[in-house]
Amino acid sequence: MTSLGAGIQVKDRPPLMKIPYNRDNLPKQLFINNELVDSKNPKKLEVRNPKDNSVLAADVALAGEADVDAAVDAAAAAFKTWRKTHPNVRRDCMLKLADLIEVNCDALAELTRISLGAPFSSFGSFEIGVCCEALRYFAGWTDKFPGEAYPQEDGFMKIVRNEPLGVTCGVIPWNGPLANSTMKAGPALATGNVFILKPSEKTPFSALALGPLIKEAGFPPGVFQILTGDGSTGALLANHMKVNKISFTGSTATGRRIQECAARSNLKRVTLELGGKSPAVVFDDCDFDNAVNWCANAITANTGQVCFAASRVYVQEGIYDRFVKAYKAAMEERAKGVGDPDEQTTTIGPLVDQGQFERVSGFLERGRSQGTLLTGGGRIGDKGWFVQPTVFENVAEDSEICKEEVFGPVAILNKFKTEEEIVAKANDTHYGLMAGVFTENITKALRVASDLESGMVGINAISMAFLTAPFGGSKTSGIGRENAIDALRMFTEKKTVFINMTKQ
Ligand code: NAP
Ligand code: MG
């Protein structure tokens, strides 16, 4: 014991556990009821490395119906006690898990990198930072989400409790396997829910490696479980009668399917974080270098595989020609950072897999007839799924490349004259996730920010998210919000308890 002054003592803590996993020893089992178990489903997942398309494993667990039922039953049993657990205990489990993830940062980053292709120096380390901070942020909320009380002058005192939903699930995409995990698990666990994570079939390893860390952090069996699988596993969860909530991040098409499953089964609650086609609006009076920098970074980070990437860049006519030159140069500078994600100097890795590569290549091919190719436009090398950061200029507003989400390092660049014109163009999309306004005129910035139909708007910045502020989209970009107090609301339901105040 080490003394910390009068009356306060802390235990000397043993060193935090290190996971045994690496690319030669991959986690492949499900994590159910605090145990690593083989899937009962004989079908397995094959996972490849996008830098060379080599097979990393062909025997990763794919949770089928019996596996999903086992996890849901364990979760339902655990809910009975977890919901009544002292908030400080829930907090401490979450904080310890954050510490454990942090000390295992290198190993976890490698497990993500080998299947996602995200270099450590750019997205890899950032992602783990978000993963730990999300746990810590939500751990702080365990005892700070009070209910409400309403006047008793009508003879009844009303108390409103924020109650957990029960068995909740996170169905997440491949582009941020760790950050997405705790952005969902954090608010779920903090508010007394039990949680099942379903990572993407393309990036299962880092999520699976969390299993032993969850147990070590002190979470009781069944509270936080991990089921790897494919879309069929996600559908089993979305259709399950004992699952009360799905928090989903992914494509708009799959989000619709999840809503349908929820409606057809038990009307489970659904939060959707979906795609985008986010506009950056650059006015003549902007800080020029700042605007160029943000626009280039915002479409190349994580190889453009980011839901809120600035994929439509609109520049006012007074600075347009100058911007074209500078944006082209900035994208070509970023292109120099494309390479082997295992190299320290690489900042941009490959696309996640062959399917994504073929999808993006199709956009690159068809884009040539929809606008002028300013830079990029093709594959890099002949091995792995590397593509050039690409910009199409002077693109028809109704063309596919201007309307559809590419989910790769591909932007369009168009000119505009007036504020009215650009607000209409920016809003002419069924998406509404992110937007950016670049101007030194704060009145104009706030006016345009309020006119843009978007869940988030950056002023002199774009494509950012904060744990402390609501994150999510309008229109077909989503339903509900993550992060901040809003995430807690999405994992709880209000219960009104009323007390008869008349003297009996
Ligand atoms: P996706 O195909 O929709 O997959 C997302 C998750 O849903 C994966 O875990 C997937 O499993 C699962 N899934 C697939 N079919 C399902 C079904 N029928 N029922 C239930 N679950 C099912 O999306 P993605 O290709 O992984 O990610 C790219 C898309 O996600 C882009 O459109 C992007 O904009 C969007 N995204 C949005 C955000 C956001 O916060 N708004 C963040 C990241 C990505 P498998 O992968 O195992 O098949
Ligand atoms: Mg799939």
Side-chain angles (χ1 to χ4, degrees), residues 94-95 132-142 467-469 483-485 487:
M94 294 172 72
L95 291 176
C132 296
E133 286 308 309
L135 282 167
R136 292 179 177 134
Y137 172 78
F138 286 110
W141 273 110
T142 53
L467 287 165
T468 50
N483 296 351
I485 195 171

Side-chain angles (χ1 to χ4, degrees), residues 45 171-175 180 198-202 229-236 238 248-255 257-258 261 272-276 305-308 356 405 407 431 433 471 477 482:
L45 293 175
V171 176
I172 63 167
W174 41 264
N175 66 340
N180 272 304
K198 206 302 273 177
S200 168
E201 60 181 328
K202 298 176 187 179
D230 60 8
S232 69
T233 313
L236 284 167
F248 171 79
T249 297
S251 61
T252 300
T254 307
R257 263 181 239 134
I258 297 219
C261 295
L272 302 176
E273 298 293 347
L274 310 173
Q305 302 168 124
V306 177
C307 52
F308 54 50
Q356 186 68 7
E405 181 181 48
F407 223 57
Y431 289 118
L433 188 56
F471 171 73
S477 288
E482 300 202 274

Side-chain angles (χ1 to χ4, degrees), residues 275-296:
K277 193 73 183 175
S278 301
V281 175
V282 183
F283 285 98
D284 284 344
D285 56 1
C286 69
D287 175 332
F288 185 84
D289 292 341
N290 179 63
V292 172
N293 228 342
W294 277 95
C295 289

